[in-house]
């Protein structure tokens, strides 16, 4: 089976064919133009001779054969033939033929007809019936004297050489064509090589083949090579991202299943105990039902938090946007948290301006401050203090939410915003947390064009620094 031509070779052959066709056409055209120029130059030279001879005839007042032959002798041009023809085509003088009476009528000769019609004419490479070989003719008509003077040179080797085009031009054109062919081959070969490699990469990607990073170095250092390299890098990046997403999805699925299993199992266990022991006393039944209710609330909170995260992941741009007074939201959070603060003997101070207008989603902005407050109340410790400050800079509000509690070990800081991540899993579940609060905080901050960092305070406790675009 014949090997299929690569795109580079097809492109090279196609462009080369067009280029050679153009080059040949241009050379032929240039050869024709150069020959025409030399013919016109020779014609002008003979026309000038005809005019000089006519002027001599007019000024001398003689037109007999002896006088004409004497003039031609004194103004000789090698192998020049001169013929005088009246307007009817009859030859009245010819310096080569001595018997002009036997010369045929010249009215139909091309150069004579042109001269009679246009004033002058020429003819190239026509065989002379009188002399038996080729001549170059140039004729001029003088209407006031009613005759045509025709001068001619034999179309011999010398004349052919003078009319021949310059061969140096052909050699120059050949060298230029050769150089351009080499350049064209190098360009199309490199272009075709890049396209072929990109096609091989696409084929591998389409068949889930293994893509090696080392393949990137094989692309040439040009725009197409750079583009191909970016495509490969983008594919590898997407491939890695997809793998990471698959891992995260599996982890998330496992975490969700684990988080849902605990409250569901608790509810199921309490209800089974009640159903299998219909005579259980009312006090025990009430305790079990209260525990079922508490687990169902935890389950509801978990589902609500997961729903909020999914909304931010899948349709953040579809959330309702409005001008929100964040200072008012913070005051609401402060009031709603007072009971929990009093139970743990904690206090919260909000050092913020009276009005902080941010264009965003009210529900998400509320969740930022509510989850930070709930997290601090749950884990800072008894008798601790929470502080919230805010200041504006270059159209962005910068918030600091800090407590003087126990803080967390440094190795946990980088993972605090992960979904379902808990520093102390057993203690977190006992506190009723879903493990999604800080993940919601981070995503809500990102949706509003901000960023967030968490660090331990030097004197203990956690410090959250985040920004929100106004």
């Amino acid at each position: 089976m014949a090997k299929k031509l690569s795109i580079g070779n097809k492109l090279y052959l196609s462009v080369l064919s067009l280029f050679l066709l153009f080059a040949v056409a241009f050379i032929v055209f240039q050869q024709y133009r150069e020959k025409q120029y030399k013919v016109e130059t020779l014609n002008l030279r003979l026309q000038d001779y005809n005019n000089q001879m006519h002027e001599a005839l007019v000024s001398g007042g003689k037109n007999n054969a002896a006088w004409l032959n004497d003039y031609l002798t004194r103004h000789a041009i090698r192998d020049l033939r001169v013929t005088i023809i009246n307007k009817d085509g009859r030859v009245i003088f010819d310096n080569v033929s001595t018997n002009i009476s036997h010369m045929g009528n010249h009215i139909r000769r091309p150069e004579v007809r042109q001269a009679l019609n246009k004033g002058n004419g020429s003819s190239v490479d026509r065989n002379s019936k009188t002399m038996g070989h080729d001549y170059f003719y140039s004729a001029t008509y003088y209407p006031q004297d009613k005759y045509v003077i025709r001068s001619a040179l034999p179309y011999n080797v010398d004349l052919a050489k003078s009319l021949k085009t310059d061969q140096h031009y052909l050699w120059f054109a050949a060298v230029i064509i050769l150089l351009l062919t080499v350049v064209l081959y190098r360009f199309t070969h490199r272009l075709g090589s890049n396209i072929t490699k990109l096609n091989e990469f696409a084929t591998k990607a389409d068949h889930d083949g293994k893509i090696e990073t080392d393949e990137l170095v094989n692309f040439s250092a040009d725009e197409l090579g750079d583009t191909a390299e970016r495509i490969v890098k983008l594919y590898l990046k997407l491939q890695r991202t997809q793998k990471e997403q698959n891992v995260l999805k599996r982890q998330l699925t496992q975490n969700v299943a684990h988080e849902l299993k605990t409250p569901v199992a608790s509810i199921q266990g309490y209800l089974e105990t009640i159903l299998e022991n219909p005579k259980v006393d009312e006090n025990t039944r009430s305790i079990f039902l209260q525990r079922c209710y508490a687990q169902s609330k935890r389950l509801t909170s978990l589902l609500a938090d997961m729903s909020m995260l999914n909304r931010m992941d899948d349709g953040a741009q579809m959330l309702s946007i409005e001008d929100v007074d964040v200072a008012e939201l913070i005051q609401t959070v402060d009031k709603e948290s007072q009971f929990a603060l009093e139970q743990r003997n904690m206090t919260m101070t909000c050092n913020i301006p009276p009005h902080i207008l941010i264009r965003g989603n009210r529900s998400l902005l509320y969740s930022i401050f509510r989850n930070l407050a709930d997290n601090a109340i749950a884990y800072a410790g008894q008798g601790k203090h929470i502080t919230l400050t805010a200041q504006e800079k270059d159209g962005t509000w910068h918030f600091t939410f800090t407590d003087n509690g126990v803080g967390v070990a440094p190795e946990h800081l980088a993972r605090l915003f992960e979904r379902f991540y808990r520093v102390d899993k057993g203690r977190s579940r006992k506190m009723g947390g879903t493990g999604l609060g800080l993940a919601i905080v981070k995503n809500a901050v990102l949706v509003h064009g901000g960023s967030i960092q968490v660090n331990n305070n030097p004197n203990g406790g956690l410090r959250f620094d985040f920004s929100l675009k106004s």
Side-chain angles (χ1 to χ4, degrees):
M1 184 176 178
K3 187 177 179 181
K4 189 177 180 181
L5 284 175
S6 67
I7 185 68
N9 289 333
K10 288 180 180 178
L11 182 62
Y12 171 70
L13 293 175
S14 300
V15 176
L16 181 63
S17 299
L18 290 174
F19 174 70
L20 290 178
L21 182 63
F22 172 78
V24 170
F26 180 76
I27 290 173
V28 171
F29 174 74
Q30 192 66 22
Q31 293 277 81
Y32 172 78
R33 286 290 301 274
E34 186 177 354
K35 185 174 182 179
Q36 284 295 105
Y37 170 76
K38 291 188 175 183
V39 167
E40 289 174 3
T41 301
L42 178 60
N43 184 46
L44 288 174
R45 178 187 171 196
L46 294 179
Q47 289 283 325
D48 184 60
Y49 190 91
N50 293 344
N51 290 329
Q52 290 180 12
M53 186 174 181
H54 175 255
E55 290 176 2
L57 283 170
V58 171
S59 61
K62 299 178 181 179
N63 58 2
N64 56 64
W67 187 91
L68 289 170
N69 283 320
D70 179 65
Y71 176 85
L72 292 173
T73 302
R74 289 183 286 108
H75 300 84
I77 296 178
R78 183 183 175 186
D79 298 326
L80 181 69
R81 178 187 178 188
V82 176
T83 307
I84 300 177
I85 308 159
N86 67 16
K87 68 174 185 176
D88 297 324
R90 184 172 58 85
V91 177
I92 57 178
F93 173 77
D94 189 280
N95 69 320
V96 174
S97 177
T98 56
N99 190 2
I100 59 175
S101 61
H102 289 84
M103 295 179 68
N105 192 288
H106 283 42
I107 193 66
R108 294 188 178 277
R109 302 291 171 89
E111 68 280 2
V112 175
R113 293 177 63 184
Q114 290 177 27
L116 291 172
N117 292 329
K118 299 179 181 180
N120 61 75
S122 63
S123 178
V124 186
D125 299 350
R126 193 191 79 245
N127 188 272
S128 171
K129 294 180 181 179
T130 305
M131 305 303 297
H133 58 79
D134 295 339
Y135 270 89
F136 177 85
Y137 298 96
S138 180
T140 308
Y141 177 53
Y142 300 97
Q144 65 275 23
D145 298 307
K146 299 180 182 180
Y147 59 73
V148 174
I149 297 179
R150 187 187 69 177
S151 54
L153 287 172
Y155 202 83
N156 53 24
V157 175
D158 292 337
L159 185 60
K161 285 182 179 180
S162 67
L163 295 179
K164 190 177 181 181
T165 56
D166 190 359
Q167 297 300 313
H168 291 90
Y169 169 77
L170 293 177
W171 285 110
F172 175 76
V175 171
I176 293 299
I177 291 173
L178 180 62
L179 289 176
L180 290 177
T181 302
V182 172
V183 172
L184 176 65
Y185 175 77
R186 288 176 60 86
F187 172 74
T188 55
H189 177 73
R190 186 168 58 185
L191 185 67
S193 176
N194 282 334
I195 294 175
T196 300
K197 289 171 185 174
L198 193 58
N199 181 58
E200 292 173 355
F201 159 76
T203 303
K204 284 185 180 181
D206 185 48
H207 294 82
D208 296 325
K210 187 176 181 182
I211 307 297
E212 300 293 341
T213 308
D214 293 341
E215 294 180 21
L216 300 178
V217 300
N218 294 327
F219 290 110
S220 59
D222 54 24
E223 290 184 1
L224 181 60
D226 292 342
T227 302
E229 186 174 335
R230 290 192 187 98
I231 292 174
V232 175
K233 285 182 177 179
L234 180 61
Y235 174 81
L236 294 175
K237 184 178 179 180
L238 291 174
Q239 203 174 45
R240 285 194 297 268
T241 302
Q242 188 175 18
K243 290 179 180 178
E244 292 172 358
Q245 287 179 342
N246 291 336
V247 172
L248 290 174
K249 283 181 180 180
R250 286 196 297 270
Q251 292 177 347
L252 183 60
T253 302
Q254 293 171 357
N255 289 335
V256 169
H258 183 72
E259 293 296 331
L260 292 175
K261 183 173 69 175
T262 301
V264 170
S266 297
I267 293 171
Q268 184 179 2
Y270 291 132
L271 292 177
E272 284 178 355
T273 301
I274 293 173
L275 291 173
E276 291 173 1
N277 300 279
K279 295 182 179 181
V280 68
D281 60 90
E282 287 299 321
N283 184 46
T284 302
R285 182 189 298 270
S286 177
I287 292 173
F288 282 5
L289 289 175
Q290 287 177 4
R291 289 178 180 175
C292 284
Y293 178 67
Q295 292 297 328
S296 68
K297 284 179 64 178
R298 181 184 171 203
L299 190 59
T300 302
S301 297
L302 180 62
L303 294 174
D305 286 349
M306 289 173 58
S307 176
M308 180 172 286
L309 284 171
N310 286 334
R311 280 168 56 206
M312 287 188 283
D313 288 343
D314 300 333
Q317 70 277 7
M318 299 179 66
L319 296 170
S320 59
I321 303 298
E322 57 182 310
D323 290 327
V324 181
D325 190 342
V326 172
E328 182 183 324
L329 283 182
I330 294 172
Q331 290 175 6
T332 301
V333 171
D334 188 13
K335 291 177 182 178
E336 293 174 350
S337 304
Q338 284 304 312
F339 179 73
L341 288 168
E342 290 173 2
Q343 283 188 320
R344 299 183 63 78
N345 194 28
M346 296 177 68
T347 56
M348 184 165 72
T349 302
C350 299
N351 297 322
I352 60 173
H355 296 287
I356 301 175
L357 284 179
I358 290 178
R359 186 157 184 80
N361 180 266
R362 181 178 294 275
S363 176
L364 293 185
L365 291 170
Y366 171 83
S367 68
I368 294 173
F369 299 97
R370 183 57 190 262
N371 279 297
L372 288 175
D374 290 347
N375 185 75
I377 293 171
Y379 305 115
Q382 290 282 344
K384 302 303 180 181
H385 183 70
I386 302 170
T387 304
L388 174 61
T389 60
Q391 61 177 352
E392 185 183 22
K393 184 179 180 181
D394 298 330
T396 300
W397 282 96
H398 297 269
F399 297 87
T400 300
F401 192 99
T402 182
D403 64 71
N404 60 346
V406 296
V408 299
E411 62 268 20
H412 296 295
L413 287 174
R415 303 189 63 187
L416 284 183
F417 296 111
E418 292 182 13
R419 300 177 185 188
F420 299 112
Y421 184 77
R422 291 183 172 91
V423 176
D424 185 343
K425 296 183 179 180
R427 180 168 176 264
S428 298
R429 288 197 179 92
K430 289 179 182 178
M431 300 301 294
T434 63
L436 296 173
L438 292 182
I440 290 175
V441 170
K442 181 177 181 179
N443 280 28
V445 169
L446 294 177
V447 165
H448 289 84
S451 61
I452 186 168
Q453 298 85 33
V454 59
N455 293 286
N456 279 315
N457 284 317
N459 298 323
L462 284 179
R463 175 190 175 100
F464 292 89
D465 294 289
F466 61 96
S467 60
L468 299 170
K469 288 188 177 180
S470 58

mmCIF file of all heavy atoms in Angstrom, residues 205-233:
data_model
loop_
_atom_site.group_PDB
_atom_site.id
_atom_site.type_symbol
_atom_site.label_atom_id
_atom_site.label_comp_id
_atom_site.label_asym_id
_atom_site.label_seq_id
_atom_site.Cartn_x
_atom_site.Cartn_y
_atom_site.Cartn_z
ATOM 1 N N ALA A 205 -4.944 11.595 22.261
ATOM 2 C CA ALA A 205 -5.907 12.126 23.228
ATOM 3 C C ALA A 205 -7.293 11.556 22.968
ATOM 4 O O ALA A 205 -8.030 11.238 23.907
ATOM 5 C CB ALA A 205 -5.929 13.651 23.160
ATOM 6 N N ASP A 206 -7.653 11.406 21.680
ATOM 7 C CA ASP A 206 -8.976 10.898 21.333
ATOM 8 C C ASP A 206 -9.146 9.440 21.747
ATOM 9 O O ASP A 206 -10.246 9.003 22.087
ATOM 10 C CB ASP A 206 -9.197 11.044 19.823
ATOM 11 C CG ASP A 206 -10.599 10.643 19.405
ATOM 12 O OD1 ASP A 206 -11.556 11.112 20.058
ATOM 13 O OD2 ASP A 206 -10.746 9.873 18.440
ATOM 14 N N HIS A 207 -8.028 8.680 21.713
ATOM 15 C CA HIS A 207 -8.068 7.262 22.096
ATOM 16 C C HIS A 207 -7.567 7.026 23.519
ATOM 17 O O HIS A 207 -7.202 5.915 23.871
ATOM 18 C CB HIS A 207 -7.241 6.432 21.112
ATOM 19 C CG HIS A 207 -7.805 6.392 19.732
ATOM 20 N ND1 HIS A 207 -7.593 7.407 18.801
ATOM 21 C CD2 HIS A 207 -8.610 5.483 19.110
ATOM 22 C CE1 HIS A 207 -8.215 7.104 17.677
ATOM 23 N NE2 HIS A 207 -8.843 5.951 17.833
ATOM 24 N N ASP A 208 -7.560 8.154 24.298
ATOM 25 C CA ASP A 208 -7.125 8.058 25.706
ATOM 26 C C ASP A 208 -5.725 7.495 25.840
ATOM 27 O O ASP A 208 -5.412 6.754 26.780
ATOM 28 C CB ASP A 208 -8.104 7.191 26.519
ATOM 29 C CG ASP A 208 -9.482 7.823 26.573
ATOM 30 O OD1 ASP A 208 -9.544 9.066 26.623
ATOM 31 O OD2 ASP A 208 -10.482 7.087 26.568
ATOM 32 N N GLY A 209 -4.877 7.827 24.870
ATOM 33 C CA GLY A 209 -3.496 7.377 24.958
ATOM 34 C C GLY A 209 -2.703 8.189 25.965
ATOM 35 O O GLY A 209 -3.087 9.299 26.338
ATOM 36 N N LYS A 210 -1.584 7.652 26.394
ATOM 37 C CA LYS A 210 -0.760 8.339 27.384
ATOM 38 C C LYS A 210 0.027 9.453 26.703
ATOM 39 O O LYS A 210 0.736 9.216 25.727
ATOM 40 C CB LYS A 210 0.195 7.350 28.053
ATOM 41 C CG LYS A 210 0.967 7.963 29.208
ATOM 42 C CD LYS A 210 1.827 6.919 29.892
ATOM 43 C CE LYS A 210 2.587 7.550 31.063
ATOM 44 N NZ LYS A 210 3.468 6.573 31.733
ATOM 45 N N ILE A 211 -0.100 10.645 27.205
ATOM 46 C CA ILE A 211 0.594 11.816 26.646
ATOM 47 C C ILE A 211 1.781 12.138 27.526
ATOM 48 O O ILE A 211 1.633 12.392 28.725
ATOM 49 C CB ILE A 211 -0.344 13.036 26.556
ATOM 50 C CG1 ILE A 211 -1.628 12.660 25.800
ATOM 51 C CG2 ILE A 211 0.362 14.201 25.900
ATOM 52 C CD1 ILE A 211 -1.414 12.256 24.386
ATOM 53 N N GLU A 212 2.976 12.105 26.935
ATOM 54 C CA GLU A 212 4.192 12.395 27.685
ATOM 55 C C GLU A 212 4.508 13.878 27.603
ATOM 56 O O GLU A 212 4.389 14.490 26.540
ATOM 57 C CB GLU A 212 5.375 11.585 27.131
ATOM 58 C CG GLU A 212 5.173 10.070 27.186
ATOM 59 C CD GLU A 212 5.136 9.549 28.615
ATOM 60 O OE1 GLU A 212 5.621 10.268 29.511
ATOM 61 O OE2 GLU A 212 4.629 8.424 28.829
ATOM 62 N N THR A 213 4.955 14.432 28.718
ATOM 63 C CA THR A 213 5.337 15.850 28.742
ATOM 64 C C THR A 213 6.544 16.101 27.852
ATOM 65 O O THR A 213 6.711 17.185 27.296
ATOM 66 C CB THR A 213 5.656 16.280 30.191
ATOM 67 O OG1 THR A 213 4.563 15.915 31.017
ATOM 68 C CG2 THR A 213 5.855 17.787 30.280
ATOM 69 N N ASP A 214 7.393 15.074 27.659
ATOM 70 C CA ASP A 214 8.595 15.244 26.823
ATOM 71 C C ASP A 214 8.249 15.536 25.371
ATOM 72 O O ASP A 214 9.076 16.041 24.612
ATOM 73 C CB ASP A 214 9.457 13.975 26.879
ATOM 74 C CG ASP A 214 10.051 13.749 28.265
ATOM 75 O OD1 ASP A 214 10.091 14.743 29.029
ATOM 76 O OD2 ASP A 214 10.443 12.622 28.577
ATOM 77 N N GLU A 215 7.005 15.228 24.954
ATOM 78 C CA GLU A 215 6.619 15.475 23.571
ATOM 79 C C GLU A 215 6.579 16.963 23.243
ATOM 80 O O GLU A 215 6.621 17.364 22.096
ATOM 81 C CB GLU A 215 5.248 14.860 23.291
ATOM 82 C CG GLU A 215 5.256 13.325 23.376
ATOM 83 C CD GLU A 215 3.879 12.742 23.091
ATOM 84 O OE1 GLU A 215 3.072 13.431 22.465
ATOM 85 O OE2 GLU A 215 3.632 11.597 23.494
ATOM 86 N N LEU A 216 6.519 17.786 24.257
ATOM 87 C CA LEU A 216 6.422 19.231 24.027
ATOM 88 C C LEU A 216 7.677 19.779 23.370
ATOM 89 O O LEU A 216 7.612 20.723 22.601
ATOM 90 C CB LEU A 216 6.174 19.953 25.356
ATOM 91 C CG LEU A 216 4.891 19.568 26.119
ATOM 92 C CD1 LEU A 216 4.828 20.335 27.418
ATOM 93 C CD2 LEU A 216 3.666 19.869 25.291
ATOM 94 N N VAL A 217 8.843 19.216 23.669
ATOM 95 C CA VAL A 217 10.098 19.794 23.174
ATOM 96 C C VAL A 217 10.272 19.565 21.683
ATOM 97 O O VAL A 217 11.140 20.153 21.063
ATOM 98 C CB VAL A 217 11.302 19.219 23.949
ATOM 99 C CG1 VAL A 217 11.192 19.517 25.435
ATOM 100 C CG2 VAL A 217 11.393 17.705 23.744
ATOM 101 N N ASN A 218 9.460 18.687 21.072
ATOM 102 C CA ASN A 218 9.619 18.366 19.661
ATOM 103 C C ASN A 218 8.991 19.398 18.737
ATOM 104 O O ASN A 218 9.204 19.355 17.543
ATOM 105 C CB ASN A 218 9.008 16.979 19.371
ATOM 106 C CG ASN A 218 9.769 15.871 20.074
ATOM 107 O OD1 ASN A 218 10.976 15.969 20.243
ATOM 108 N ND2 ASN A 218 9.066 14.836 20.494
ATOM 109 N N PHE A 219 8.191 20.308 19.262
ATOM 110 C CA PHE A 219 7.599 21.336 18.421
ATOM 111 C C PHE A 219 8.638 22.409 18.108
ATOM 112 O O PHE A 219 9.452 22.768 18.960
ATOM 113 C CB PHE A 219 6.390 21.979 19.113
ATOM 114 C CG PHE A 219 5.199 21.065 19.222
ATOM 115 C CD1 PHE A 219 4.794 20.567 20.452
ATOM 116 C CD2 PHE A 219 4.492 20.692 18.089
ATOM 117 C CE1 PHE A 219 3.697 19.729 20.549
ATOM 118 C CE2 PHE A 219 3.387 19.852 18.175
ATOM 119 C CZ PHE A 219 3.002 19.365 19.405
ATOM 120 N N SER A 220 8.575 22.923 16.879
ATOM 121 C CA SER A 220 9.544 23.948 16.469
ATOM 122 C C SER A 220 9.243 25.280 17.146
ATOM 123 O O SER A 220 8.123 25.531 17.587
ATOM 124 C CB SER A 220 9.503 24.120 14.940
ATOM 125 O OG SER A 220 8.215 24.503 14.535
ATOM 126 N N ALA A 221 10.271 26.114 17.202
ATOM 127 C CA ALA A 221 10.146 27.405 17.907
ATOM 128 C C ALA A 221 9.582 28.472 16.981
ATOM 129 O O ALA A 221 10.281 29.370 16.531
ATOM 130 C CB ALA A 221 11.511 27.832 18.442
ATOM 131 N N ASP A 222 8.307 28.326 16.637
ATOM 132 C CA ASP A 222 7.615 29.353 15.866
ATOM 133 C C ASP A 222 6.204 29.488 16.419
ATOM 134 O O ASP A 222 5.865 28.875 17.431
ATOM 135 C CB ASP A 222 7.605 29.012 14.365
ATOM 136 C CG ASP A 222 7.039 27.624 14.095
ATOM 137 O OD1 ASP A 222 6.260 27.126 14.941
ATOM 138 O OD2 ASP A 222 7.370 27.037 13.053
ATOM 139 N N GLU A 223 5.378 30.321 15.755
ATOM 140 C CA GLU A 223 4.040 30.588 16.287
ATOM 141 C C GLU A 223 3.190 29.326 16.337
ATOM 142 O O GLU A 223 2.483 29.080 17.323
ATOM 143 C CB GLU A 223 3.354 31.657 15.436
ATOM 144 C CG GLU A 223 3.964 33.050 15.598
ATOM 145 C CD GLU A 223 3.205 34.101 14.815
ATOM 146 O OE1 GLU A 223 2.205 33.743 14.172
ATOM 147 O OE2 GLU A 223 3.610 35.267 14.858
ATOM 148 N N LEU A 224 3.245 28.506 15.274
ATOM 149 C CA LEU A 224 2.462 27.281 15.271
ATOM 150 C C LEU A 224 2.970 26.323 16.339
ATOM 151 O O LEU A 224 2.177 25.667 17.025
ATOM 152 C CB LEU A 224 2.518 26.616 13.886
ATOM 153 C CG LEU A 224 1.711 25.327 13.740
ATOM 154 C CD1 LEU A 224 0.227 25.592 14.013
ATOM 155 C CD2 LEU A 224 1.892 24.722 12.357
ATOM 156 N N GLY A 225 4.308 26.242 16.485
ATOM 157 C CA GLY A 225 4.878 25.395 17.530
ATOM 158 C C GLY A 225 4.454 25.843 18.911
ATOM 159 O O GLY A 225 4.112 25.025 19.775
ATOM 160 N N ASP A 226 4.481 27.174 19.134
ATOM 161 C CA ASP A 226 4.046 27.712 20.434
ATOM 162 C C ASP A 226 2.579 27.410 20.680
ATOM 163 O O ASP A 226 2.185 27.031 21.793
ATOM 164 C CB ASP A 226 4.279 29.228 20.475
ATOM 165 C CG ASP A 226 5.759 29.583 20.491
ATOM 166 O OD1 ASP A 226 6.569 28.687 20.817
ATOM 167 O OD2 ASP A 226 6.096 30.732 20.166
ATOM 168 N N THR A 227 1.757 27.569 19.627
ATOM 169 C CA THR A 227 0.328 27.284 19.772
ATOM 170 C C THR A 227 0.090 25.810 20.079
ATOM 171 O O THR A 227 -0.707 25.463 20.957
ATOM 172 C CB THR A 227 -0.423 27.671 18.480
ATOM 173 O OG1 THR A 227 -0.197 29.061 18.206
ATOM 174 C CG2 THR A 227 -1.910 27.414 18.619
ATOM 175 N N ALA A 228 0.802 24.936 19.354
ATOM 176 C CA ALA A 228 0.662 23.499 19.589
ATOM 177 C C ALA A 228 1.092 23.134 21.006
ATOM 178 O O ALA A 228 0.459 22.325 21.685
ATOM 179 C CB ALA A 228 1.490 22.724 18.559
ATOM 180 N N GLU A 229 2.193 23.763 21.455
ATOM 181 C CA GLU A 229 2.679 23.487 22.811
ATOM 182 C C GLU A 229 1.659 23.933 23.854
ATOM 183 O O GLU A 229 1.419 23.233 24.847
ATOM 184 C CB GLU A 229 4.005 24.204 23.030
ATOM 185 C CG GLU A 229 4.655 23.872 24.361
ATOM 186 C CD GLU A 229 6.045 24.475 24.489
ATOM 187 O OE1 GLU A 229 6.675 24.711 23.439
ATOM 188 O OE2 GLU A 229 6.479 24.700 25.621
ATOM 189 N N ARG A 230 1.045 25.088 23.621
ATOM 190 C CA ARG A 230 0.022 25.565 24.565
ATOM 191 C C ARG A 230 -1.173 24.616 24.593
ATOM 192 O O ARG A 230 -1.757 24.372 25.656
ATOM 193 C CB ARG A 230 -0.445 26.966 24.178
ATOM 194 C CG ARG A 230 0.600 28.044 24.415
ATOM 195 C CD ARG A 230 -0.010 29.434 24.282
ATOM 196 N NE ARG A 230 1.011 30.461 24.335
ATOM 197 C CZ ARG A 230 1.543 31.056 23.280
ATOM 198 N NH1 ARG A 230 1.132 30.712 22.069
ATOM 199 N NH2 ARG A 230 2.464 31.992 23.409
ATOM 200 N N ILE A 231 -1.555 24.100 23.413
ATOM 201 C CA ILE A 231 -2.675 23.160 23.353
ATOM 202 C C ILE A 231 -2.366 21.908 24.165
ATOM 203 O O ILE A 231 -3.204 21.423 24.939
ATOM 204 C CB ILE A 231 -3.003 22.802 21.888
ATOM 205 C CG1 ILE A 231 -3.571 24.023 21.158
ATOM 206 C CG2 ILE A 231 -3.990 21.640 21.810
ATOM 207 C CD1 ILE A 231 -3.779 23.809 19.673
ATOM 208 N N VAL A 232 -1.154 21.379 23.988
ATOM 209 C CA VAL A 232 -0.760 20.177 24.730
ATOM 210 C C VAL A 232 -0.735 20.461 26.228
ATOM 211 O O VAL A 232 -1.232 19.666 27.037
ATOM 212 C CB VAL A 232 0.620 19.677 24.250
ATOM 213 C CG1 VAL A 232 1.080 18.499 25.095
ATOM 214 C CG2 VAL A 232 0.554 19.268 22.788
ATOM 215 N N LYS A 233 -0.139 21.608 26.604
ATOM 216 C CA LYS A 233 -0.082 21.953 28.024
ATOM 217 C C LYS A 233 -1.480 22.128 28.609
ATOM 218 O O LYS A 233 -1.750 21.700 29.738
ATOM 219 C CB LYS A 233 0.731 23.239 28.211
ATOM 220 C CG LYS A 233 2.235 23.043 28.060
ATOM 221 C CD LYS A 233 2.974 24.348 28.319
ATOM 222 C CE LYS A 233 4.484 24.136 28.251
ATOM 223 N NZ LYS A 233 5.220 25.391 28.472
#
